[in-house]
Amino acid sequence: MIVILALFFLRFQSLPFQNSIREARPKVTLVVRTASTVGNYDYIIDWEFQEDGLIRVQVGLSGMLMVKGTHYNNADQIPEEENTSGPLVSENLIGVVHDHFVTFHLDMDIDEPDNSFVKVHLVKEETVPGESPRKSFLRTKKHVVKSEKEAQIKFKLYDPSEFHVVNPSQKSKIGNPSGYKVVPAGTAASLLDHNDPPQHRSAFTDNQIWVTPYNRSEQWAGGLLVYQGKGENTLAVWSDRDRSIENKDIVVWYTLGFHHVPCQEDYPIMPTVSSSFALKPANFFNSNPILHVAPTVQKDLPSCSARSASA
Ligand SMILES: *[C@@H]1O[C@H](CO)[C@@H](O)[C@H](O)[C@H]1NC(C)=O
Ligand SMILES: *[C@@H]1O[C@H](CO)[C@@H](O)[C@H](O)[C@H]1NC(C)=O
Ligand SMILES: [Cu+2]
């Protein structure tokens, strides 16, 4: 009942303004797609460039599930304490629990190469007792990160920060440094022991964000020769040098991960699972850049239809 009343209220409110809506813009996005086959999976990576300045990176995974044989052919037969390494997904087949990680090397140059990485920490402040019926409010504390170790970032839902890359010498007309922020979305952290050999090599999954000074020899988060490596040349080793990253040509590393607990639908070929993150302008434009985009007219938009596709 409350919902219906609220809808009615919004509808009523919008009536007097109806005549002032003159135009709308269709959303136009440039998508740059790569599809790579790595082992038993296909990774579809889309870079979506939007007219509002947002760059969204979408990662989709599909492929042939990693399975191993078992003598069980029904879930009821498996004792609870048995370490099967995954659920039964078909008769005599266990879908092994595993992870996928995709680490992005983002060589950020906001207006010029020299940039700083800023943590915008959201903090709860408490009101003075008796001063207000309100107990708490939010504010932000900005911290310009000085060196690499401070930029080894693990996400925390209850102690959040935004992660901005700014050009301290390029200010907007009202004095904010020009910037873009990294906007995380669904991701995962490695749960393996740090001293596990695979985790030595994939130590770049120890954090979700890292920032390093640009170095041409530090391009591959797992090192150049991953399979032959023992983890001596990974992002974690470089970052532990704790070099200065303030007002420098910096690289932001973002790791997008998936824990994969297989189910029956993933076998024999799994439907695509996706996740994403975004790079969003933060004081890079003086106002919403969409307002400067010319209205699109129908003839500028060759759109697909069943007829044109078959012609
Ligand atoms: C499963 O693994 C745990 C930990 O290693 C071990 O204590 C337990 O005995 C194992 N269970 C079976 C049935 O092998
Ligand atoms: C650049 O990277 C290589 C490989 O990690 C390293 O040996 C070298 O010291 C780095 N240079 C600087 C200036 O950090
Ligand atoms: Cu998987």
Side-chain angles (χ1 to χ4, degrees):
M1 193 55 195
I2 289 168
V3 173
I4 293 167
L5 281 176
L7 284 175
F8 177 78
F9 179 72
L10 286 174
R11 179 81 196 123
F12 176 76
Q13 284 289 297
S14 68
L15 281 178
F17 302 104
Q18 233 166 29
N19 289 339
S20 61
I21 298 172
R22 299 276 161 79
E23 60 175 68
R25 311 272 200 286
K27 185 172 176 181
V28 179
T29 301
L30 170 68
V31 182
V32 180
R33 168 170 287 187
T34 63
S36 353
T37 301
V38 183
N40 52 335
Y41 271 74
D42 293 333
Y43 293 84
I44 298 113
I45 299 174
D46 286 346
W47 289 80
E48 300 176 1
F49 298 90
Q50 296 185 180
E51 286 180 316
D52 59 3
L54 185 127
I55 302 167
R56 174 169 288 117
V57 183
Q58 293 258 19
V59 178
L61 282 64
S62 174
M64 309 304 290
L65 188 66
M66 181 167 68
V67 290
K68 68 172 198 180
T70 174
H71 57 274
Y72 298 120
N73 55 34
N74 190 296
D76 291 340
Q77 301 166 346
I78 309 175
E80 210 164 291
E81 63 288 354
E82 173 125 357
N83 302 312
T84 56
S85 72
L88 197 66
V89 293
S90 187
E91 287 83 358
N92 305 111
L93 282 177
I94 295 279
V96 180
V97 175
H98 60 276
D99 291 338
H100 298 261
F101 292 103
V102 185
T103 295
F104 289 84
H105 170 282
L106 305 166
D107 181 8
M108 307 289 287
D109 289 339
I110 306 299
D111 282 335
E112 287 288 332
D114 286 350
N115 290 172
S116 292
F117 182 67
V118 182
K119 272 195 252 185
V120 181
H121 190 192
L122 282 141
V123 239
K124 181 182 78 173
E125 297 285 353
E126 299 191 348
T127 54
V128 180
E131 188 193 62
S132 157
R134 289 288 305 272
K135 300 281 180 224
S136 56
F137 60 97
L138 293 184
R139 69 183 195 93
T140 55
K141 273 187 190 163
K142 285 188 189 174
H143 175 66
V144 179
V145 177
K146 302 278 184 277
S147 61
E148 288 178 290
K149 280 190 182 172
E150 252 190 293
Q152 299 179 350
I153 288 163
K154 294 181 170 65
F155 296 151
K156 298 179 201 148
L157 195 57
Y158 284 92
D159 184 21
S161 292
E162 287 198 345
F163 309 103
H164 293 222
V165 178
V166 303
N167 184 330
S169 39
Q170 194 70 42
K171 299 274 172 70
S172 70
K173 70 176 183 203
I174 57 165
N176 288 314
S178 178
Y180 255 73
K181 60 181 172 184
V182 180
V183 186
T187 186
S190 175
L191 303 177
L192 294 185
D193 193 294
H194 285 300
N195 291 318
D196 223 333
Q199 192 59 27
H200 279 154
R201 288 187 195 134
S202 56
F204 54 88
T205 62
D206 291 351
N207 298 294
Q208 290 74 60
I209 290 182
W210 314 67
V211 183
T212 56
Y214 178 84
N215 179 333
R216 204 165 173 267
S217 311
E218 296 176 355
Q219 196 177 351
W220 310 106
L224 189 57
L225 304 164
V226 186
Y227 288 110
Q228 285 82 12
K230 291 197 164 59
E232 67 280 14
N233 187 27
T234 67
L235 175 53
V237 172
W238 312 331
S239 166
D240 276 340
R241 292 188 194 130
D242 207 18
R243 294 162 291 188
S244 165
I245 51 169
E246 189 182 0
N247 205 4
K248 290 235 153 60
D249 186 5
I250 54 175
V251 174
V252 175
W253 304 78
Y254 182 87
T255 295
L256 195 154
F258 302 83
H259 294 303
H260 189 176
V261 181
C263 57
Q264 291 171 193
E265 290 80 357
D266 294 346
Y267 181 78
I269 180 163
M270 55 172 273
T272 303
V273 287
S274 338
S275 193
S276 67
F277 70 97
L279 299 171
K280 187 175 192 300
N283 307 321
F284 187 83
F285 299 102
N286 278 319
S287 65
N288 186 341
I290 286 280
L291 301 176
H292 304 289
V293 175
T296 317
V297 288
Q298 193 63 39
K299 69 174 173 51
D300 294 335
L301 280 177
S303 52
C304 304
S305 69
R307 193 148 45 111
S308 63
S310 62

